[in-house]
Amino acid sequence: MTEHDWQGRLTQQVADAVRDYRKLRGLSAQGLADACAALGHAIPRTSIANLENGRRSGVEIAELLVFAKALGVPPIALILPIGMAGSVEVLPGQELPIWDAVSWITAETLIGEEPEPGTVNEVIFELRAHAQAISTLRRAIEFAEEARRGANLIRDPQQRARNDGMLEGLGDYTRGYAQDVREFRARLRVRGIEPPTLPEDLKYLDAPE
């Protein structure tokens, strides 16, 4: 077995995934080509057909990313047969269980198995934790806003007073999560890790207090 054999199998694996997801989305090869062009990277219909028919020896990274976006799947879904095979050949002659392959490519870290300090895996681990903190904050904000909208409909004075107290507690709850995110981002920067850009509605978290 040669490296070229493995490259051919890997390319065919990607080709099969592109074809399967394309058909699942109800797209023709031309439809997929049009979707890729709309994303800013034209991939001719003939190039897609040649890939799916096994007449191409490889796939460019740019093509892989655009295919994934056009098909509405993460790029890894085109690289690995997720959910369709128990193991996969990740390198020439080196086969791994599918989850081990996913973990290697995406730097997945199980809870309680934090990565070694100073590694790329640790940076990815911290960025995932940051994303989770942002998600938690957003849910807290949405819950507080929903509660506030509901409170505005209350007319009974006593019930309104009780709800005012609840809303004040929710405000403290939300501000606490916001402070957690602010401090988390500060700690990342101290460690030399640049945190992700915040969405417009949360940019205040990076403003001086």
Side-chain angles (χ1 to χ4, degrees):
M1 182 184 67
T2 65
E3 185 275 335
H4 181 73
D5 297 330
W6 169 73
Q7 180 178 336
R9 289 193 296 276
L10 182 59
T11 301
Q12 190 58 52
Q13 190 166 280
V14 173
D16 291 344
V18 168
R19 182 189 62 247
D20 292 346
Y21 283 114
R22 175 178 64 75
K23 291 183 177 180
L24 185 64
R25 303 292 186 264
L27 289 173
S28 64
Q30 185 59 57
L32 178 55
D34 293 342
C36 292
L39 289 170
H41 185 73
I43 303 176
R45 182 197 63 78
T46 52
S47 183
I48 295 172
N50 287 338
L51 173 65
E52 294 184 1
N53 293 330
R55 292 193 292 269
R56 289 184 54 185
S57 60
V59 182
E60 296 178 1
I61 293 176
E63 291 178 319
L64 183 72
L65 296 177
V66 173
F67 278 144
K69 185 65 175 179
L71 294 169
V73 298
I76 194 173
L78 302 182
I79 301 172
L80 301 178
I82 299 173
M84 293 176 283
S87 61
V88 63
E89 186 182 13
V90 295
L91 292 170
Q94 297 184 36
E95 194 162 300
L96 287 177
I98 193 69
W99 178 247
D100 290 350
V102 170
S103 298
W104 176 54
I105 292 175
T106 63
E108 290 288 343
T109 302
L110 298 178
I111 295 174
E113 298 182 6
E114 284 72 11
E116 290 292 326
T119 63
V120 172
N121 291 54
E122 186 203 21
V123 174
I124 294 173
F125 178 83
E126 294 295 350
L127 294 181
R128 283 200 180 103
H130 176 273
Q132 184 60 55
I134 292 291
S135 176
T136 300
L137 172 59
R138 281 197 175 283
R139 289 198 300 271
I141 292 172
E142 290 169 3
F143 182 74
E145 289 177 346
E146 184 177 346
R148 192 171 294 108
R149 287 192 296 269
N152 289 334
L153 302 176
I154 297 173
R155 294 293 176 262
D156 179 74
Q158 290 185 338
Q159 186 178 354
R160 193 175 185 87
R162 288 194 297 270
N163 274 272
D164 286 344
M166 179 195 70
L167 291 174
E168 184 177 349
L170 286 175
D172 292 340
Y173 180 71
T174 301
R175 284 189 289 274
Y177 276 122
Q179 185 61 26
D180 288 344
V181 172
R182 184 179 283 115
E183 292 174 357
F184 190 0
R185 293 174 66 81
R187 288 196 300 272
L188 289 178
R189 289 190 172 104
V190 167
R191 294 168 57 192
I193 301 173
E194 181 60 29
T197 300
L198 290 166
E200 286 299 324
D201 62 318
L202 295 180
K203 283 190 180 298
Y204 68 90
L205 295 172
D206 275 344
E209 295 187 70

